[in-house]
Amino acid sequence: DQHLTVTAMKIKSVKIKNFRGYRDEMRVDFDDLTVLIGKNDIGKSTILEALDIFFNETSGVVKWDKSDLNVQSAEKGENEAIISVCFTELPANIIIDSTVQTDLGSEYMINADKNLEVIKKFKTQKPAVFIKALHPTNPECSDLLLKKNVDLKNVANKLGIECENLRTNSKIRKAIWEHFNSDLNLKEVEIDIAKEDAKKIWENLSSYIPQYSLFQADRRNSDDDSEVQDPLKIAVKEILTDQEIKDKLNSVADTVREKLQKVANRTREKLKEMDSGIASTLHPVIDTNKLKWSDVFKNVSISGDEDIPINKRGSGVKRLVLLNFFRAEAERRAEERGNTGIIYAIEEPETSQHNNHQRTLIAALKELSAQPHTQILLTTHSAVLVKELDFNNIRLLNKNDLGETKVTKVEQPVLNYPSLNEVNYLAYDEITEEYHNELYGYLENLELLDAYKKLHNNTKHKYIRITKNKKTVAEKYILSTCIRHQIHHPENKHNKPFTSEKLKESTIMMRDFIINSRNQKS
């Protein structure tokens, strides 16, 4: 077989059910850069943590716990949380149960959308694993992925099917499925790949899954945090787990022990010359098995130009160094797996960073997300970060009338450019004077202001204007114009201040008018 090119898959979407605040199935679609925004405690971190549990199970930052089961689901007797991930950019060729290449399509392991959909059902930390696929359901050939080589041969012999290679499972499966080509009865089903011989398939398929690494927002960042003391100390522990390094250190320990034994023996012999009784009671104890090699490297550190250690720097610098230590370690783990695919999930990267650092940081993350085989998932509350994004990067989390969290894209922005004020309105229902100004100016630019004024001409409001010679003149304008004048002329104290309710009313009126005009035009 020709050399297999490593192709890194990417997350297309995740579906979460019965997990924490998500009782009913909730779906999130992902791009190369995806940013989750919404109010506090609405479920942004839950999505990133669900992915950590899915990808890393017991080895991630977050581990499955019984308390993660949705409370309402538990009360109704449902005892498992379900996390499903769809992968796109599938490898053209894979090796799943032998040294022979095949592909997921030929194995009927992709769903109706031609994606790999992996489902993990959690009752304990070790989940049941399924693949949802458009798969043969004809009883004669529906469970071939679960069969061992000898069983596949028996099926082929029973049906009188000739196969070019009876030692290769994928070849036998292909021959059997081709035999039933007109009667496969394809349907989307869940294939239990924890069963029988399918376990080997999942073990091999797992090597194509991207590396997922989560950097949480609530890291302590205090002086007693081992990583804050210095990332290199964590690196020392990682390095010392390498077996080759262990063997070398054990060799050093053996050499030192031998030399120490010689010193101890010579000392005892000399002691015998003076007091044989004392000498007979002394036994050198040289236990190199309890050596703490990490202590040898305890003074390693990253320091600034003035030799100030990281744990004595400001919280913003500490977090920035840790974030990039996290990135470096994630890349190292991905390389060790022989897998170039990597997903960085970072909660609130703006934490402890001033505005200029935030802009630099989001620019770096956007550039990173443009690299091959790389995805970036973020949560944020930062207006500065949001302003640097495109609408297709943003996912809005809002609660519907039933109190359920829904995740949506910015499907139809009113403004045709990324507006922080509009995103804050969509995500947080936040009405600001700045957004009102943007909408009013947008109507002017589109030459729609006259039509808008004409529509609302029957509901005019009194506004007292100050002339150039400092006189006052009472005039009437529609609500939006009155509010705009008050925003632009705060020095004019002759008008009663508009209320937040009136600001909201005017904002919604302008939004609706723009949307309706656009719909009529299209």
Side-chain angles (χ1 to χ4, degrees):
D1 289 320
Q2 59 185 355
H3 178 68
L4 188 66
T5 302
V6 176
T7 301
M9 295 186 280
K10 290 184 178 182
I11 305 179
K12 179 180 177 63
S13 64
V14 63
K15 291 183 283 191
I16 302 170
K17 182 178 181 181
N18 294 343
F19 183 76
R20 298 186 189 169
Y22 295 106
R23 186 193 185 295
D24 298 321
E25 185 175 273
M26 182 277 305
R27 170 176 170 148
V28 187
D29 294 316
F30 295 103
D31 292 312
D32 288 343
L33 173 63
T34 305
V35 184
L36 306 175
I37 67 172
K39 297 177 182 177
N40 285 330
D41 201 31
I42 201 167
K44 301 185 298 296
S45 296
T46 295
I47 294 170
L48 299 192
E49 292 181 6
L51 286 168
D52 193 36
I53 291 172
F54 174 92
F55 280 95
N56 299 312
E57 295 180 7
T58 59
S59 61
V61 177
V62 184
K63 297 172 180 62
W64 163 259
D65 186 86
K66 290 180 180 178
S67 62
D68 288 324
L69 186 66
N70 178 269
V71 175
Q72 293 172 308
S73 301
E75 289 173 350
K76 292 191 175 183
E78 299 176 40
N79 60 358
E80 62 183 10
I82 303 172
I83 306 172
S84 310
V85 175
C86 278
F87 296 94
T88 186
E89 298 192 21
L90 306 181
N93 297 291
I94 59 172
I95 295 174
I96 54 175
D97 60 358
S98 67
T99 58
V100 178
Q101 294 182 31
T102 181
D103 65 88
L104 293 171
S106 298
E107 299 289 346
Y108 295 101
M109 293 175 68
I110 56 177
N111 64 17
D113 295 325
K114 301 189 183 304
N115 298 311
L116 172 65
E117 184 170 355
V118 181
I119 302 171
K120 293 191 177 183
K121 301 181 180 182
F122 290 86
K123 291 182 182 178
T124 63
Q125 288 189 347
K126 193 66 177 174
V129 185
F130 302 83
I131 288 180
K132 187 175 182 180
L134 195 62
H135 198 75
T137 60
N138 182 332
E140 296 286 343
C141 60
S142 61
D143 59 351
L144 301 188
L145 287 172
L146 308 181
K147 293 186 181 298
K148 292 180 169 57
N149 183 261
V150 64
D151 299 320
L152 290 170
K153 288 179 183 176
N154 290 337
V155 173
N157 290 333
K158 179 182 175 182
L159 296 170
I161 298 171
E162 293 187 5
C163 179
E164 60 179 285
N165 188 343
L166 289 172
R167 292 175 298 177
T168 304
N169 291 2
S170 60
K171 298 289 187 184
I172 305 175
R173 286 194 295 265
K174 183 178 180 180
I176 296 172
W177 280 325
E178 285 179 349
H179 178 78
F180 290 99
N181 187 46
S182 60
D183 192 26
L184 290 172
N185 196 16
L186 296 177
K187 294 181 181 177
E188 272 201 335
V189 295
E190 292 183 5
I191 305 168
D192 186 349
I193 53 174
K195 280 187 177 180
E196 303 172 32
D197 214 45
K199 287 182 180 178
K200 294 178 182 177
I201 293 177
W202 173 238
E203 288 173 3
N204 290 327
L205 187 58
S206 296
S207 66
Y208 297 89
I209 302 292
Q211 170 80 33
Y212 180 90
S213 292
L214 172 63
F215 188 85
Q216 291 184 298
D218 57 357
R219 302 177 69 106
R220 291 178 297 161
N221 285 3
S222 58
D223 282 355
D224 59 348
D225 184 333
S226 58
E227 288 192 15
V228 172
Q229 286 181 3
D230 212 306
L232 293 189
K233 290 182 173 58
I234 305 299
V236 165
K237 291 181 181 179
E238 292 277 347
I239 292 167
L240 294 180
T241 61
D242 183 89
Q243 190 57 51
E244 185 178 350
I245 300 293
K246 283 182 178 180
D247 292 342
K248 289 180 179 179
L249 293 176
N250 288 336
S251 176
V252 171
D254 290 340
T255 301
V256 172
R257 183 169 54 245
E258 290 173 8
K259 291 185 179 294
L260 287 175
Q261 189 66 51
K262 290 178 182 179
V263 171
N265 290 340
R266 287 198 300 269
T267 301
R268 286 186 63 192
E269 291 302 316
K270 291 301 178 184
L271 185 58
K272 280 181 182 179
E273 295 175 6
M274 295 187 176
D275 192 323
S276 59
I278 292 176
S280 64
T281 63
L282 296 180
H283 303 283
V285 178
I286 308 170
D287 188 359
T288 56
N289 293 322
K290 295 182 180 179
L291 286 174
K292 293 184 179 180
W293 289 105
S294 58
D295 288 348
V296 176
F297 303 96
K298 65 183 179 181
N299 290 324
V300 298
S301 66
I302 295 176
S303 298
D305 291 338
E306 288 126 15
D307 292 330
I308 301 173
I310 181 178
N311 64 311
K312 301 302 180 185
R313 304 295 294 271
S315 57
V317 172
K318 285 191 286 191
R319 186 169 169 84
L320 206 57
V321 172
L322 289 175
L323 178 57
N324 286 284
F325 168 70
F326 152 83
R327 283 182 53 204
E329 284 298 282
E331 289 176 12
R332 178 186 63 80
R333 288 193 294 271
E335 288 171 3
E336 287 178 354
R337 286 178 55 182
N339 182 336
T340 55
I342 190 163
I343 303 163
Y344 299 102
I346 306 171
E347 290 186 316
E348 300 175 22
E350 71 273 12
T351 301
S352 301
Q353 305 299 317
H354 62 70
N355 289 353
N356 286 340
H357 260 171
Q358 289 187 43
R359 293 186 187 95
T360 302
L361 187 57
I362 193 62
L365 292 174
K366 286 170 72 174
E367 185 177 345
L368 184 61
S369 71
Q371 294 183 6
H373 314 319
T374 304
Q375 281 180 286
I376 306 288
L377 313 182
L378 306 175
T379 66
T380 187
H381 292 284
S382 169
V384 175
L385 291 192
V386 171
K387 201 166 186 178
E388 302 298 321
L389 301 170
D390 293 328
F391 278 124
N392 62 347
N393 300 137
I394 298 170
R395 302 294 180 272
L396 303 173
L397 278 75
N398 287 304
K399 289 190 181 293
N400 62 18
D401 295 338
L402 299 175
E404 302 165 327
T405 298
K406 296 298 180 183
V407 183
T408 60
K409 294 184 178 181
V410 184
E411 297 291 352
Q412 188 182 21
V414 168
L415 305 174
N416 62 0
Y417 58 91
S419 164
L420 164 66
N421 295 309
E422 182 164 19
V423 170
N424 284 342
Y425 169 78
L426 294 169
Y428 309 115
D429 197 29
E430 181 179 290
I431 303 290
T432 62
E433 294 179 8
E434 290 83 0
Y435 188 36
H436 191 280
N437 274 343
E438 275 192 298
L439 291 170
Y440 198 93
Y442 193 66
L443 286 169
E444 287 182 311
N445 291 335
L446 292 179
E447 297 183 349
L448 290 173
L449 189 57
D450 288 341
Y452 175 71
K453 288 179 178 179
K454 185 176 180 180
L455 179 66
H456 297 285
N457 198 43
N458 60 337
T459 54
K460 287 191 174 181
H461 300 259
K462 181 181 177 182
Y463 178 78
I464 298 175
R465 181 171 61 87
I466 302 176
T467 65
K468 289 182 180 180
N469 57 6
K470 306 301 181 182
K471 292 183 179 181
T472 58
V473 179
E475 300 175 336
K476 284 198 170 184
Y477 301 102
I478 64 168
L479 177 62
S480 298
T481 302
C482 285
I483 291 176
R484 180 190 181 272
H485 286 342
Q486 286 190 265
I487 293 171
H488 280 229
H489 299 285
E491 75 283 357
N492 184 349
K493 306 298 183 183
H494 295 283
N495 297 282
K496 184 179 179 181
F498 57 83
T499 63
S500 57
E501 288 78 13
K502 288 297 181 183
L503 181 65
K504 183 173 184 178
E505 179 186 343
S506 177
T507 298
I508 293 173
M509 282 164 50
M510 287 190 288
R511 279 181 54 84
D512 290 345
F513 181 82
I514 294 170
I515 292 171
N516 289 334
S517 298
R518 184 175 296 167
N519 291 340
Q520 289 172 12
K521 187 176 180 180
S522 63

